[in-house]
Amino acid sequence: VGDTPLPDFSARLARLRGQAHARDLAALVIASPPNLQYLTGFDGSTGLLVVSASGADLLVDGRYEAVVRRRVGAGELAQVRVRGLSGSLGAALAEALADVSPGSIGFEAERVTVATLDGWQEAVPHRTFTRTTGLVERLRAIKDAGELAVLRRACGKLSDVARSLRLWVRAGRTEREVAADIDAALLREGFDRPAFQTIVASGPNSAHPHARPTGRRLAQGDLVVLDFGGVLDGYCGDLTRMASIGQVQADARALVDAVRAAQQAAIAAVRPGAHASDIDQAARRVLDGHGLGEAFLHATGHGLGLELHEAPRLGRADADRAVTLETGMVCTIEPGAYVEGLGGARMEDDIAVTPEGCEVLTSAPRDLLIV
Ligand code: ZN
Ligand code: ZN
């Protein structure tokens, strides 16, 4: 866990209890791994957390039980009651709910499958299970000081990797070779792992937003999209820079400049109280002005945290219009434009919403890197 101070798990659990109480739920069952990690520090692949007014029970299987008991005892995890599974998960859930006051039990509708819910209902026949959405995710969207400190460090390290791109991006090398160099640099910088498969998309491949690195060799006149991220102490940073192999034709250069201007406009629009869709609109307006509105194939940004993509999403859907930015939110600002036959461009930085507007957490120069 590096030099990161322990999160205030009891404050997080208290906020979640408030949410459950406001919805008349006697308890909440949390199953999503990043939500379990946020609330308790437990970072295994499977487990259940039962949060009620009377406490919190963490249900883990035999792979995790001994370590979890030790870490709870050492104060490294939230102060939960640990329940191992002697029988089925359903049986353990029934035991954990036995002490909970009467009332319905909330579950994460986006996480729990119909089959899983059927199993729970069978094990706990006298309780009603009520679907909830985004309760923990909304808490996670506002980062506390400790989380912001980790994200700042992650973005600083990512920016250092970006400043070294000219060591690796060269004519004649394959996309895969460049991606491997970036991944090695992420590990040298101290990241636990890359946050996703590094994107190195050159020439015609750059016209596809989520191109995977191939054996294609970088060639004169290529635009190259370099999109990479790292996980540090559980938190994800995400950054994209553009390179060209030699000089590119004028319309490719104009594409890059338009995307940079769109990103600048989007960053300038960030402030508490703005709608998530306002940020997207600011970027889209600039690209529209360059005749590239149709070439902008994705949302302007996404929240960052324990997951690479989390709330808030900065897009143009009705759901994004309903989201208001708040101080402490952290997200990417990454407009792009993709034109078959010409190529693509994307520029991505990570920002934290502040009372004054935003703090840009990534610091690498945004100039087109001409190699
Ligand atoms: Zn990215
Ligand atoms: Zn991103």
Side-chain angles (χ1 to χ4, degrees):
V1 188
D3 32 7
T4 307
L6 272 185
D8 189 350
F9 294 121
S10 59
R12 294 176 182 177
L13 287 165
R15 278 197 292 278
L16 187 61
R17 281 196 188 91
Q19 302 273 341
H21 184 76
R23 285 164 181 76
D24 263 337
L25 299 169
L28 272 168
V29 181
I30 304 299
S32 145
N35 289 347
L36 291 173
Q37 190 179 355
Y38 179 75
L39 294 168
T40 69
F42 169 67
D43 61 357
S45 62
T46 327
L48 287 183
L49 179 70
V50 178
V51 182
S52 68
S54 62
D57 291 49
L58 183 60
L59 285 51
V60 291
D61 63 47
R63 291 172 296 166
Y64 300 117
E65 188 181 345
V67 173
V68 167
R69 283 190 192 282
R70 181 176 57 68
R71 296 192 66 203
V72 170
E76 295 169 6
L77 303 182
Q79 292 308 293
V80 293
R81 281 186 296 259
V82 181
R83 286 178 189 271
L85 307 186
S86 43
S88 68
L89 191 64
L93 181 62
E95 279 174 35
L97 290 174
D99 304 335
V100 170
S101 59
S104 65
I105 309 299
F107 70 95
E108 298 167 295
E110 289 158 314
R111 168 76 197 176
V112 177
T113 66
V114 173
T116 298
L117 184 64
D118 284 348
W120 293 0
Q121 189 68 76
E122 205 171 299
V124 192
H126 55 287
R127 293 277 191 176
T128 304
F129 286 93
T130 303
R131 61 183 71 178
T132 68
T133 50
L135 291 187
V136 184
E137 285 81 356
R138 276 195 289 279
L139 299 180
R140 280 171 46 197
I142 314 285
K143 270 64 185 178
D144 63 29
E147 294 179 291
L148 285 172
V150 176
L151 285 159
R152 243 179 233 119
R153 277 198 294 128
C155 290
K157 287 173 183 292
L158 266 190
S159 303
D160 285 344
V161 174
R163 275 187 276 270
S164 298
L165 285 171
R166 68 166 57 252
L167 299 174
W168 312 310
V169 179
R170 274 200 310 277
R173 303 197 72 211
T174 67
E175 293 173 348
R176 268 196 215 106
E177 286 167 343
V178 176
D181 286 333
I182 293 172
D183 290 349
L186 290 171
L187 298 183
R188 271 200 310 277
E189 278 290 333
F191 285 103
D192 308 331
R193 60 178 185 278
F196 53 90
Q197 189 183 11
T198 294
I199 296 174
V200 177
S202 64
N205 296 344
S206 67
H208 308 131
H210 269 256
R212 295 295 169 227
T214 69
R216 184 180 183 278
R217 293 183 189 282
L218 310 191
Q220 279 302 316
D222 280 355
L223 280 178
V224 188
V225 178
L226 302 131
D227 186 350
F228 50 95
V231 181
L232 185 73
D233 288 351
Y235 284 79
C236 300
D238 188 2
L239 181 144
T240 306
R241 288 295 181 265
M242 290 300 304
S244 74
I245 309 300
Q247 296 294 336
V248 289
Q249 55 191 76
D251 43 0
R253 183 66 204 231
L255 189 75
V256 175
D257 291 343
V259 167
R260 277 182 62 184
Q263 194 207 26
Q264 214 48 66
I267 290 173
V270 176
R271 56 174 178 77
H275 298 284
S277 57
D278 294 343
I279 316 309
D280 183 77
Q281 214 168 56
R284 218 163 277 281
R285 202 176 297 126
V286 172
L287 289 172
D288 274 335
H290 288 83
L292 292 167
E294 296 293 306
F296 184 11
L297 302 175
H298 49 75
T300 292
H302 53 86
L304 286 170
L306 291 170
E307 288 179 287
L308 178 67
H309 293 105
E310 56 177 62
R313 203 182 80 115
L314 309 180
R316 54 178 164 173
D318 289 345
D320 306 322
R321 209 157 297 137
V323 172
T324 301
L325 297 187
E326 294 178 51
T327 298
M329 286 180 168
V330 172
C331 44
T332 68
I333 304 285
E334 53 173 311
Y338 310 88
V339 181
E340 263 336 305
L342 177 61
R346 179 163 69 254
M347 187 62 63
E348 177 178 31
D349 284 273
D350 303 341
I351 62 100
V353 182
T354 64
E356 298 77 33
C358 75
E359 173 190 349
V360 182
L361 305 175
T362 38
S363 59
R366 295 184 192 128
D367 311 286
L368 177 65
L369 171 65
I370 303 170
V371 296

